[in-house]
Amino acid sequence: MLECGATPSIPKGHDSLFVTVREDHVECEPTNPARRCTPLSIANHSLHENSSPIHHIEPGGMLDTSDCRFDAVSDRAVRISGMRWNPADRYTVKLEGVECAGFRAICVCGTRDPLLIGRLDDFLASVRSEVETKAAAFGAAADSYQLGIRVYGRDGVMGAREPLRGALPHELGFVIEVVARENQEIASAVLGVARANMLHTDFPGRLCREGNMAFPFSPSDIEVGPVYRFSVFHTAELDDPRELFPIEYETL
Amino acid sequence: MALIRDVARVCKSKNAGPFELTIDVVFDDAETFQRVRATGVLCPELFARLYSVKAEDVLFTPYDAAFAFKATLPRLVPSGDFGDTDVYGCQQHAPLLDVDLPI
């Protein structure tokens, strides 16, 4: 909880929380007199970024807060008691790590053309096909990069989980994205092809023959650099809890 | 009848680690919480339907102390991986807002 500072207080803020840890309970009080902790504001925080509000897996065991009591000590301080600690058979430490997944380039653009918006899926399929052919022609095989076309105004936020389908907005925003495995140069080159084809690919009924997309910036393409993905999310069983965290003392 | 957007005090989503999304619906007081609980509408099957996952992949916990219901389910794509739309997972709550609670 301390990691989040004053977040478990109201009004929620970005300064500090003062926590006193005693043998059988913990007391929380915000340092800023403008804030206060209430039993509910503290209880709510156990929901934050945990898969369970009652079972918290920590190195060496599991903290069970299912029978926790949250009592107001004053109008701004709360006492938490009733936590149970269930020691694990082995002491464990969580390992998280990433690997470089490639290099990214992006471009932001939008359309206000109802004829294009009305046949967007076909249009994007044409663009993808053009990009594949043209990128292959300069040596970027289809399996050496990933092309993403994010459609804001349709499902840019929820992707495949977006429940509202078939709405026809008056404008759509796009983030065109290329991640190339090998280097930035390929990502930027393929993105250039994708951007040009979003702008100029023809479609049936097209009236906007000078260009399909409005670009807010020139130059329009942005090199984002290396991209990382989670590749290590493991639990290490340790014989000695300290073995991964060596401390060296020096006398100066 | 009441929509979650009209009766809940909090309806939010967030990452729980890089591979899971956790969604919380919090009510004002114990009485509202218990009335909502009694309807049985908030359950693993609801989240399974709204988020296209299997009900057995939803960890669903009513949490009396906070007048809250929590559901944790797999993300579509690991946080920050290619194709992820919401690196922190904090805008995945909207499908719940219009769930009708017969209270």
Side-chain angles (χ1 to χ4, degrees):
Chain A
M1 191 157 56
L2 271 176
E3 169 201 23
C4 295
T7 305
S9 61
I10 47 173
K12 192 172 159 177
H14 304 286
D15 38 39
S16 302
L17 189 70
F18 188 77
V19 174
T20 310
V21 181
R22 299 205 177 86
E23 200 54 45
D24 62 343
H25 70 268
V26 172
E27 273 177 23
C28 307
E29 184 172 353
T31 51
N32 184 339
R35 308 189 197 293
R36 58 202 178 90
C37 286
T38 68
L40 195 55
S41 77
I42 295 291
N44 268 325
H45 197 71
S46 50
L47 299 165
H48 176 69
E49 287 182 346
N50 282 318
S51 56
S52 162
I54 52 174
H55 296 144
H56 306 264
I57 297 175
E58 305 289 347
M62 193 258 285
L63 182 69
D64 186 335
T65 60
S66 45
D67 295 325
C68 249
R69 283 178 54 103
F70 301 87
D71 296 305
V73 180
S74 71
D75 60 352
R76 19 191 339 274
V78 171
R79 174 177 297 174
I80 311 165
S81 58
M83 297 82 94
R84 283 193 308 272
W85 177 249
N86 302 321
D89 293 338
R90 294 291 303 269
Y91 190 90
T92 56
V93 167
K94 187 165 82 171
L95 302 178
E96 289 187 8
V98 296
E99 62 185 0
C100 184
F103 300 82
R104 177 179 275 138
I106 65 168
C107 170
V108 177
C109 56
T111 183
R112 181 61 181 77
D113 189 296
L115 301 166
L116 172 54
I117 291 171
R119 47 176 306 112
L120 187 71
D121 288 333
D122 289 345
F123 171 78
L124 294 181
S126 307
V127 170
R128 284 183 169 280
S129 158
E130 289 286 328
V131 172
E132 188 173 332
T133 308
K134 290 171 181 167
F138 64 73
D143 63 358
S144 68
Y145 64 87
Q146 290 169 291
L147 167 64
I149 304 174
R150 294 153 183 273
V151 186
Y152 285 92
R154 186 179 72 170
D155 57 3
V157 172
M158 294 201 68
R161 282 180 173 158
E162 174 56 58
L164 287 180
R165 294 285 167 190
L168 280 181
H170 69 282
E171 68 175 21
L172 287 172
F174 301 91
V175 175
I176 316 168
E177 162 196 29
V178 174
V179 174
R181 216 170 43 228
E182 214 167 293
N183 58 43
Q184 185 69 55
E185 195 183 3
I186 293 173
S188 302
V190 177
L191 179 74
V193 176
R195 182 243 309 133
N197 281 275
M198 285 290 279
L199 180 59
H200 291 306
T201 294
D202 202 13
F203 59 89
R206 183 190 193 206
L207 302 181
C208 57
R209 302 188 67 84
E210 300 290 357
N212 305 322
M213 293 292 147
F215 292 85
F217 313 121
S218 178
S220 59
D221 301 356
I222 305 163
E223 296 192 342
V224 180
V227 179
Y228 297 91
R229 61 193 298 262
F230 277 99
S231 60
V232 178
F233 193 71
H234 292 73
T235 306
E237 294 187 339
L238 305 183
D239 294 323
D240 176 350
R242 295 166 299 184
E243 68 186 275
L244 291 182
F245 311 101
I247 300 172
E248 284 176 34
Y249 294 94
E250 287 182 28
T251 306
L252 299 176
Chain B
M1 305 294 267
L3 304 181
I4 284 181
R5 66 164 78 201
D6 296 325
V7 290
R9 193 163 58 88
V10 171
C11 178
K12 63 186 170 80
S13 67
K14 192 77 193 281
N15 289 350
F19 302 110
E20 288 184 321
L21 182 73
T22 192
I23 303 164
D24 302 319
V25 185
V26 182
F27 294 90
D28 268 322
D29 49 53
E31 196 228 326
T32 316
F33 171 74
Q34 292 301 348
R35 272 163 57 213
V36 171
R37 187 181 205 165
T39 68
V41 169
L42 290 177
C43 64
E45 289 72 21
L46 172 76
F47 289 90
R49 194 173 75 244
L50 293 179
Y51 291 92
S52 309
V53 294
K54 292 186 216 144
E56 57 263 37
D57 291 337
V58 178
L59 175 66
F60 178 74
T61 317
Y63 185 42
D64 296 52
F67 315 139
F69 298 87
K70 178 182 267 301
T72 302
L73 45 95
R75 290 174 60 92
L76 276 178
V77 173
S79 174
D81 219 332
F82 187 84
D84 184 20
T85 58
D86 187 356
V87 170
Y88 304 115
C90 59
Q91 275 294 306
Q92 304 300 309
H93 61 295
L96 277 164
L97 294 172
D98 291 326
V99 167
D100 208 340
L101 298 169
I103 57 170

